[in-house]
Amino acid sequence: VQLQASGGGLVQAGGSLRLSCVATGGTFSADAMGWYRQAPGKEREFVAAISTRGGITDYGASVKGRFTISRDNAKNTVYLQMNSLKPEDTAVYICASGRTTVLLSRGDSDYRGQGTQVTVSS
């Protein structure tokens, strides 16, 4: 499975970005999908996860209410809509696939992509 994330960039605090991640080489609709982020000098942090059909979502405490994860199984794509961005959201955002949203929320993923840089200026 290969995961290619895109959509990162530089945005001012309070702004929005939408990340996309396209999966190839596997059975996308059978995998839970998620996003992590990692800032320089910090550990990787769970951001969000979504179940195979999108009926279950889970979010990290620091992004709950501001970020929304969604997926389009016809396009093998998972999205992360990020609103009300803060400078502390600056990180490399990494797309991942796994067996369940619970496992993804615990950092247990099967595959991870390279990531896309998000920088939020104050």
Side-chain angles (χ1 to χ4, degrees), residues 7 33 35 40-41 57-59 64 72 77 79 83 88 95 103 107:
M33 298 297 297
W35 290 92
T57 57
D58 191 15
Y59 297 92
K64 195 171 292 185
D72 185 338
T77 303
Y79 304 97
N83 298 329
E88 51 263 44
C95 175
L103 288 173

Side-chain angles (χ1 to χ4, degrees), residues 53-95:
R53 296 184 180 181
I56 298 171
T57 57
D58 191 15
Y59 297 92
S62 61
V63 307
K64 195 171 292 185
R66 299 188 297 123
F67 291 12
T68 302
I69 189 171
S70 61
R71 66 189 293 161
D72 185 338
N73 286 352
K75 296 182 179 180
N76 286 5
T77 303
V78 60
Y79 304 97
L80 185 68
Q81 178 67 44
M82 306 185 296
N83 298 329
S84 303
L85 283 161
K86 305 175 182 179
E88 51 263 44
D89 294 319
T90 295
V92 174
Y93 282 71
I94 302 159
C95 175

Side-chain angles (χ1 to χ4, degrees), residues 3-6 19-21 33-39 42-49 69 78 80 82 91-97 104 109 111-118:
L3 303 171
Q4 182 64 53
S6 62
L19 307 183
S20 300
C21 174
M33 298 297 297
W35 290 92
Y36 300 100
R37 67 186 183 186
Q38 187 160 21
K42 295 186 177 181
E43 292 188 355
R44 189 172 64 241
E45 176 187 7
F46 169 72
V47 175
I69 189 171
V78 60
L80 185 68
M82 306 185 296
V92 174
Y93 282 71
I94 302 159
C95 175
S97 64
L104 285 170
S109 61
Y111 297 96
R112 291 193 296 270
Q114 293 289 340
T116 184
Q117 176 72 45
V118 171

